[in-house]
Amino acid sequence: IVMHEQKCNLDGASAWISHLHGDLVETFLPECERVPIWGLPALDAQVAEYVRGIGNWVRANECWSFEGERYFGTAGPQVQRNRAVRLLPKRSSIAN
């Protein structure tokens, strides 16, 4: 999708995704520190739990992507260790 939308090759798409991820991390983590405290212990605890949950969801999704078989079949743990994916042959067009 990135290659198509950004009109780039695989290396360009990987670089674009890496840059986007870095920007999101650099934005999210400092913003977590700026979440206001309202002085209501129950509310403050709920907000803190919610923000932690957002951060944990990202990590949990990454783990699930390798542990489940949806994206890498049974090779998920190997792909996670090696960070190498066997690509399918290039198709001539993208289906709508």
Side-chain angles (χ1 to χ4, degrees):
I1 293 171
V2 173
M3 290 170 60
H4 178 73
E5 291 293 321
Q6 297 295 317
K7 297 176 179 36
C8 59
N9 62 16
L10 182 60
D11 288 338
S14 294
W16 185 89
I17 291 168
S18 178
H19 187 279
L20 176 64
H21 178 268
D23 285 351
L24 292 172
V25 169
E26 287 180 22
T27 301
F28 178 77
L29 295 177
E31 289 299 320
C32 287
E33 301 297 322
R34 294 173 35 126
V35 173
I37 296 173
W38 285 272
L40 302 169
L43 177 62
D44 292 338
Q46 288 176 336
V47 171
E49 183 178 358
Y50 177 77
V51 171
R52 271 192 311 275
I54 292 171
N56 288 338
W57 172 80
V58 174
R59 178 67 177 120
N61 187 269
E62 193 260 348
C63 288
W64 173 83
S65 297
F66 293 109
E67 292 170 8
E69 295 184 6
R70 179 174 185 175
Y71 299 114
F72 307 109
T74 58
Q78 179 183 355
V79 170
Q80 187 176 26
R81 278 190 309 277
N82 302 332
R83 297 294 185 184
V85 179
R86 185 173 158 263
L87 300 177
L88 297 173
K90 186 175 179 178
R91 295 189 301 190
S92 60
S93 65
I94 296 175
N96 291 330

